[in-house]
Structure formats: C-alpha cells, structure tokens
Amino acid sequence: MTTWFWILGWFLTILTITGNGLIIFLICKRKQLRTKTNAFVASLAVADFCVGMTVVPVLFIFKETVSETELSNKVQLYVRLFFVRASVTNLCSLVLDRFVAVVKPFKYLTFMTRSRVIQIVFLSWAFPTIIITVRASLHFAFQERHLDNIFHWLDAFNFKLVPCVMLVFCFACMLTIICKHHRKMRTLVKQIRSNATVFFRPQDSAAVKIMAIVIVVFLLCSAIRFHCGLSPLSRGNIDCDNLHVKILITVLNSAVNPIAYARKQLRTKTNAFVASLAVADFFVGMTVVPVLFILKEIVSETELADEVQLYVRLFFVRASVTNLCSLVLDRFVAVVKQLKYLIFMTHGRVIQVVFLSWAFPAIFITVRAYLYFAFQERHLDNIFNWLDAFSFKLVPCVMLVFCFAYMLTIICKHHRKMRTLVKQIRSNAPVFFRPQDSAAVKIMAIVIGVFLLCSAIRFHCGLSSLSRGNIDCDILRVKILVTILNSAVNPIAYAVYKRDIKKELKRMTRMNFSE
C-alpha cells in the first residue's frame, strides 16, 4: 500500500466518521429533527458511518498490523460490501421519499406514514443483508468461480445500474416539476406586481442542491466502482491502483453526504476565510503526526519518502499561515473601513483572496521541491530556508501585530466615544452599554498570540538548522508539537468566541434538561 493511499484514505475516513456521526447525534438528540425525512437521513448516515469505520481502518489493521489470511481477507471484504450496499439502498430510500413529496405533495402524508417509513428503512437494510449473506454462504460452501461471477453481475445490476437509473429518473422528474412550479409562480408574481411590490424567492433550491450534490457524487463513484467491478469478470484480477481508487471513491461517497446538509446560515464571507483556515489546519493535523508515525513506525522509511512528507507538511503549515493572514485582513478591513467593507469584500474578491492563500504556498513549495530534487544543492536549500523564514514567519508576524494593534486602537477609540455618549444620555434615561466587538478582539488576540508564540519557536528551529546544519531531536519534536498546537487552538477560539459558530455548537450540544 502506498503512502498517498493511506493519507487520503484516513483523511476521508475521519471526514466520514465525524460528519455522519454528527448527523446521527443531532437527529437523535433534538426532538424537532425527528421527522419522517430525517429518519431516512439518519439511516443513510448510519450506513455511511459504518462504511467509514470498516473500509480503510479494517484494511489498515489487516494489511499493516495483524497477519493477513485468505479467510480474514474474505470476511472483511463481505463486511465492507454489506455496508457499502446498505448505503446505496438507503440513499435510494431517501431520494424516493423526496420524489413522493415533490411529485405527489397532497398524497405524501397519507402515503408516507410512520409504519411505511419503518418498512422502507427495514427493507433498505434487509435487502443487502440477504444478498451478501447468500453470496458469502455459497462462496464458503462451494468455492466455485462461476458462482462468484454470477453474483458479480447481480451485484452490478442491483446495486449499481438500477440505483443509477432510478436516481437519475427521480431527480429529473423532481427538477422538471420544480422548474414548472417556479415558472407558474413567476408568472403569478408578475401579475401581482402591477398592484403591489412582491419579492419571490424559490423555496426548493436548497433541497434540489442537496439532491444534486448527493446524486452526482454517487453516479461518479458508481461509474468508477462499476469499472472496477467489471475488471475481475474480464481479466480475472483487480489491478492494485484500481483497488486503491475504488476504496477511496467508496469512502468519498459516504463523506460527501453530511457536507451536503451543512447549515446555510454559516455561509458568510468571514466564515469563508474561517472555513479555508479550518481546511488548512485539518490537513496539518492529518499530515504532521500521522504521516510521521506511519513512516517511522509502520512502513520502512526512505530518503525520498522522508523528503516528500516534509514538503507536504510544509505546504499545509504554510497554507495555514497564509489563510490566517487572509482572515485577519478581512477583519482588519471590516473594522478600519466599515462603510467600504461590503463594496470592497465582494463575493469575487473573497474567492480571489482564498485562492491566493492556497496558490502562494503551493507555488513556493513546488518550486522549492523541484529545485531540490533536480539539483540536490545545499546552498539552494539554505536560500529557500531564508526565504521561507522571511515570507511565512517574519512578514506574517509583523502584519498580524500591525493589524491587531491598529484594530485594537480603533475599537478602543470607538468604545471611549460610545461611553461618553452613554454618559450624556443617562442623565435623561437609563442606558445599558455593552461593547459589541469584544468577542472578535478575543478571537484575534488568542489566534494571533498563539501564532506568534509558535512562530517564534519555529523561527528558532529554522535558524538552528541554518547555523548548525542539523536540528536536534528534542527541538524537532517541540517544533512538531507547536505546529499542531497552532492548528488546534484556532477552532477552540471560534467555538468559544465567534457568535454564529458558538450559537450552532450550543444548538447541537444542548442537553435534555435545557430543552
């Protein structure tokens, strides 16, 4: 198994388990989310959660930890197949529920009763259970090659071809009806507008987007899985690369579903920078310690593998730095130029800034890695070390300190004016004044303070490598731990002080006694 497969596999596995686990927790915890449609969503989330728990982790255990046997290989294959097929049938059940709700809205409540929901969910799990159990029993009983081929064709027909056709048909019908309904509504709104101002906004766009994302990803994954499924029938074996892609696509299909249900209220311009920084920090967490552990403890470490993981780690750490600078720049413009913020920070400019936050470290690390592998010159490495220290340590530190000091000055000045105004008003009526920017200041103070501390330690380690030619083991370990700390503190700061994220987290984690 190659290193890139394990890195991507574990990343998608964590995303799948976290996302689907959160969906299950929310639906089970909050009474108002226990609707008929969410019963299908929860069932699909359980199947996808089990896919995340059984595909890559079980494969990793058998390949890298315990001795693999033919029996254990077959058992984990059938377990994996069961949960993947259960995910397919549960997705079909969810789309069928939405199809009935859109196509037959007046008959939905009478048709989709509580007992019928239970029946459909039960069938979504019973059908793949029967198919996989019969297939495994016949395989272990007779060990016949032609029986395996028959079940391969049945599997391709029942869990790939039929679901794809059904999902495309249902989505096309739903889209046609929704578009027809929107045309009628627009015609009606045009007639009413002659007498009064009317604002019309399509209400079904979110549901259509969710179905579109889920179905398109499923069709893409099914096409690749279908190709890999035909491979053993045509050649008698599966190519290693195809197997890797097939497993990653399987986990990807289960990871996308909870992302499609993300809350629309949090999709603001500022949160675009927060999300971009969170992605960079997530990859830092995925690539620093886990990859180092895999190379040091599990697989045999080579000089090439060591250099590759070093550059991958450097890219995500530097991307975290540039994304943090972008976030602080956004808050700086919002505080310093409040009236011009909406004009300056447009949707297109947000995309440009986020793109540059990833493009700059990508270009820098790519050029550095290319020159290193092409020429293997020590002086080139030293030049790039100094450039790295200047571009990703010194400049960001100076910029962040300047922006925070300037913002703090303006906020303090604004608070002094507000307090003076409140004192004047209090002579006539009682007035309560509470600073509104304290949370934003605390977020910036925590994030920038931790970043400066971590940068100072990393900068010291960087200078050590330039002066002595090597890094002491203890310093390297401290440097790695500080890198993880820098990425770990950011989400804690948002969870405690960022108002909209804090509100959503409170809503998710509210206890029964508070409901």
Side-chain angles (χ1 to χ4, degrees):
M1 291 291 179
T2 54
T3 305
W4 67 266
F5 169 74
W6 290 123
I7 293 170
L8 285 176
W10 278 108
F11 163 67
L12 293 174
T13 297
I14 292 170
L15 189 63
T16 302
I17 293 171
T18 306
N20 288 290
L22 189 61
I23 295 292
I24 297 164
F25 172 78
L26 285 174
I27 293 173
C28 294
K29 198 72 178 174
R30 294 188 62 79
K31 194 173 181 180
Q32 52 267 48
L33 291 179
R34 296 172 199 165
T35 61
K36 293 172 184 176
T37 301
N38 283 347
F40 296 107
V41 172
S43 184
L44 175 60
V46 169
D48 288 337
F49 182 85
C50 293
V51 168
M53 289 292 292
T54 55
V55 176
V56 173
V58 173
L59 194 68
F60 179 78
I61 290 168
F62 281 111
K63 292 284 184 184
E64 303 296 340
T65 309
V66 300
S67 56
E68 187 181 16
T69 62
E70 188 179 354
L71 177 63
S72 64
N73 194 24
K74 287 293 180 183
V75 169
Q76 63 97 7
L77 171 66
Y78 286 123
V79 170
R80 185 175 76 228
L81 277 177
F82 165 66
F83 288 119
V84 172
R85 301 312 180 242
S87 176
V88 173
T89 51
N90 277 285
L91 176 60
C92 292
S93 301
L94 174 61
V95 174
L96 181 65
D97 170 78
R98 293 297 82 206
F99 176 75
V100 175
V102 171
V103 176
K104 301 289 183 183
F106 297 111
K107 294 182 180 180
Y108 177 76
L109 292 177
T110 54
F111 176 79
M112 201 61 72
T113 58
R114 181 182 173 86
S115 59
R116 189 154 282 148
V117 169
I118 295 171
Q119 290 170 7
I120 295 173
V121 171
F122 173 76
L123 288 173
S124 300
W125 287 90
F127 181 61
T129 303
I130 294 167
I131 293 289
I132 299 300
T133 303
V134 172
R135 179 177 177 177
S137 301
L138 292 175
H139 173 80
F140 289 120
F142 301 105
Q143 299 281 338
E144 292 288 340
R145 181 70 186 175
H146 68 276
L147 282 175
D148 249 6
N149 288 340
I150 290 169
F151 273 105
H152 270 300
W153 284 110
L154 285 173
D155 183 85
F157 178 77
N158 291 325
F159 296 105
K160 294 185 180 78
L161 186 60
V162 172
C164 287
V165 172
M166 174 197 159
L167 293 177
V168 169
F169 172 75
C170 290
F171 182 71
C173 287
M174 286 193 294
L175 196 61
T176 304
I177 291 170
I178 289 169
C179 290
K180 187 179 177 181
H181 173 69
H182 286 174
R183 282 197 300 270
K184 286 183 178 179
M185 285 299 295
R186 285 192 186 96
T187 305
L188 184 63
V189 166
K190 283 179 183 178
Q191 294 171 357
I192 297 172
R193 271 182 184 158
S194 59
N195 299 320
T197 305
V198 178
F199 176 71
F200 169 67
R201 185 180 179 183
Q203 297 295 317
D204 304 310
S205 59
V208 172
K209 287 175 183 176
I210 290 173
M211 289 295 104
I213 292 169
V214 171
I215 291 172
V216 166
V217 172
F218 174 78
L219 292 175
L220 175 65
C221 298
S222 292
I224 298 171
R225 282 203 298 254
F226 190 71
H227 165 72
C228 295
L230 291 177
S231 299
L233 296 175
S234 57
R235 299 195 303 268
N237 59 349
I238 302 177
D239 183 56
C240 182
D241 291 335
N242 280 348
L243 180 61
H244 286 183
V245 172
K246 186 178 176 181
I247 288 174
L248 292 177
I249 285 294
T250 299
V251 184
L252 172 66
N253 185 32
S254 297
V256 166
N257 293 340
I259 297 172
Y261 307 131
R263 293 189 68 84
K264 194 175 181 179
Q265 295 94 313
L266 295 179
R267 298 174 198 165
T268 61
K269 292 174 184 176
T270 302
N271 283 348
F273 296 106
V274 172
S276 184
L277 175 59
V279 170
D281 287 338
F282 183 85
F283 278 109
V284 169
M286 287 291 295
T287 54
V288 176
V289 174
V291 174
L292 199 65
F293 175 78
I294 290 170
L295 289 176
K296 294 281 185 185
E297 304 295 337
I298 297 174
V299 300
S300 56
E301 186 181 13
T302 62
E303 187 180 352
L304 177 63
D306 192 43
E307 290 295 336
V308 169
Q309 65 91 12
L310 171 66
Y311 287 121
V312 170
R313 186 175 76 229
L314 276 177
F315 166 65
F316 288 119
V317 172
R318 300 311 179 245
S320 177
V321 173
T322 51
N323 276 284
L324 175 61
C325 292
S326 300
L327 174 61
V328 173
L329 180 66
D330 170 78
R331 292 297 82 205
F332 178 76
V333 176
V335 171
V336 176
K337 301 288 184 183
Q338 295 180 14
L339 301 177
K340 295 182 179 180
Y341 176 75
L342 292 176
I343 301 171
F344 177 78
M345 201 59 73
T346 59
H347 183 72
R349 188 152 285 149
V350 169
I351 295 172
Q352 290 171 5
V353 174
V354 171
F355 174 77
L356 287 173
S357 302
W358 288 90
F360 178 61
I363 294 169
F364 184 86
I365 298 298
T366 303
V367 171
R368 179 175 180 175
Y370 173 76
L371 291 175
Y372 174 80
F373 287 117
F375 300 104
Q376 299 278 336
E377 293 288 341
R378 180 71 186 173
H379 70 276
L380 282 175
D381 231 15
N382 288 338
I383 291 170
F384 272 103
N385 275 336
W386 283 108
L387 285 173
D388 183 87
F390 177 78
S391 302
F392 296 104
K393 293 185 180 78
L394 184 61
V395 172
C397 288
V398 172
M399 175 197 159
L400 293 177
V401 169
F402 170 77
C403 289
F404 181 71
Y406 203 92
M407 285 193 298
L408 196 62
T409 305
I410 290 175
I411 290 169
C412 291
K413 186 179 178 182
H414 174 69
H415 286 175
R416 282 196 300 271
K417 287 183 179 179
M418 286 298 296
R419 285 193 185 95
T420 304
L421 184 62
V422 166
K423 284 179 182 177
Q424 295 171 357
I425 297 172
R426 272 180 184 159
S427 59
N428 299 319
V431 178
F432 176 72
F433 170 66
R434 184 182 179 183
Q436 296 295 316
D437 304 310
S438 58
V441 172
K442 288 175 183 176
I443 292 173
M444 291 295 104
I446 292 170
V447 171
I448 293 173
V450 173
F451 175 78
L452 292 174
L453 175 65
C454 298
S455 293
I457 298 172
R458 284 203 296 256
F459 192 69
H460 166 70
C461 295
L463 291 178
S464 300
S465 64
L466 291 173
S467 59
R468 296 197 304 267
N470 59 350
I471 301 175
D472 184 57
C473 182
D474 291 334
I475 295 177
L476 179 61
R477 287 176 182 174
V478 170
K479 187 178 176 181
I480 288 173
L481 291 176
V482 161
T483 300
I484 294 291
L485 173 66
N486 185 33
S487 296
V489 165
N490 295 341
I492 297 171
Y494 308 139
V496 174
Y497 293 112
K498 198 165 190 308
R499 201 170 289 113
D500 52 353
I501 295 177
K502 184 179 178 180
K503 183 181 176 182
E504 291 302 323
L505 285 173
K506 276 186 177 179
R507 184 177 296 175
M508 290 190 311
T509 57
R510 193 176 296 153
M511 297 299 179
N512 286 329
F513 67 84
S514 66
E515 290 181 346

